[in-house]
Amino acid sequence: MPNPVKYDQILDALGELLKRKSIQTISVSEIAQTAGIGKGSIYYYFPSKDAIYNALVERSYKKSIETAKNLKSQQNISPFTRMAMIFRTCRDSSTAFLNRYQSVETANVQEHAYFHHKYMAHLISELKPVLTDIIAQGTESGDIHFSSPAALAEIVLIILTVKLDNTLVPSTPEEIEETLVGMITLLEKGTENPTGSLNFLTT
């Protein structure tokens, strides 16, 4: 049976190495040495270095995802307020994750793309069903008027993760603000909410 302590030791080891080396130059042997365990033990828990990194991402966002899932059932809070709470906690987790594990000295374009692809893909896949349910609850209560909750959830997540991350499509603060204002305007019109009522979503 897998040992949770060793599992976390492996993730911690990769995290420590990422502070001073690029992901491309880190080997499984180095991870094992830093973790203080045999290389063979690594493969008992993970099939590859990529899988270790995926697990590190998942652990880093675990609390944010749990918060989102808990908010899904709190129908006493308006759907848009719950969405805003989810966006904020994920934004904070993203900032903490990058500050902790991404080395400015060693990161290059490829490194940035790898980091950001991983955590954005994780966030979208985990949060889409949660936001879909929250939006569906809003349509049932009459707070939201939109025929496809899943499509709306995906649209919002893609825009927010790309623009607030600001790495895949680098933009000036003014350009980011313009895009987010445009998204909010479309959301307000599409869900029949008053102009300016959803500005709090991205603040």
Side-chain angles (χ1 to χ4, degrees):
M1 185 175 181
N3 184 330
V5 175
K6 280 191 175 181
Y7 183 92
D8 280 329
Q9 283 178 331
I10 295 169
L11 300 188
D12 291 340
L14 177 58
E16 283 301 312
L17 289 167
L18 286 170
K19 293 177 182 178
R20 58 181 186 271
K21 300 187 68 175
S22 68
I23 188 69
Q24 291 93 345
T25 62
I26 296 172
S27 67
V28 173
S29 295
E30 284 181 289
I31 297 172
Q33 184 177 10
T34 303
I37 61 178
K39 183 178 178 180
S41 295
I42 296 280
Y43 291 110
Y44 176 71
Y45 292 90
F46 301 99
S48 65
K49 179 177 69 175
D50 198 54
I52 301 173
Y53 186 80
N54 287 339
L56 181 64
V57 171
E58 290 173 11
R59 188 180 70 173
S60 299
Y61 286 95
K62 184 178 180 181
K63 288 185 178 180
S64 292
I65 301 301
E66 287 177 351
T67 296
K69 290 178 178 178
N70 288 334
L71 284 168
K72 182 176 70 172
S73 62
Q74 297 182 33
Q75 297 192 45
N76 57 310
I77 303 174
S78 79
F80 283 115
T81 298
R82 283 182 282 163
M83 288 170 66
M85 293 167 71
I86 291 171
F87 297 154
R88 289 181 193 125
T89 186
C90 288
R91 179 182 60 191
D92 292 344
S93 292
S94 292
T95 300
F97 176 77
L98 293 176
N99 287 342
R100 183 174 183 183
Y101 296 123
Q102 187 171 24
S103 169
V104 176
E105 290 78 13
T106 61
N108 52 33
V109 174
Q110 186 178 1
E111 181 93 350
H112 280 297
Y114 181 85
F115 270 87
H116 295 273
H117 168 76
K118 290 293 184 182
Y119 80 77
M120 289 170 65
H122 179 64
L123 278 182
I124 292 173
S125 64
E126 289 290 325
L127 291 180
K128 182 181 175 182
V130 175
L131 290 185
T132 297
D133 285 347
I134 290 175
I135 293 168
Q137 292 166 9
T139 60
E140 291 173 6
S141 65
D143 294 317
I144 297 175
H145 302 276
F146 201 85
S147 59
S148 179
L152 181 58
E154 185 168 336
I155 290 167
V156 171
L157 282 170
I158 289 173
I159 293 173
L160 285 173
T161 53
V162 170
K163 298 310 292 187
L164 294 180
D165 173 79
N166 199 31
T167 299
L168 295 181
V169 185
S171 307
T172 65
E174 292 75 20
E175 290 170 336
I176 294 173
E177 179 71 16
E178 184 178 10
T179 299
L180 295 180
V181 168
M183 182 193 74
I184 294 297
T185 300
L186 289 174
L187 272 177
E188 289 169 345
K189 290 181 178 178
T191 58
E192 299 182 15
N193 277 271
T195 300
S197 62
L198 303 184
N199 287 338
F200 69 95
L201 278 177
T202 55
T203 57

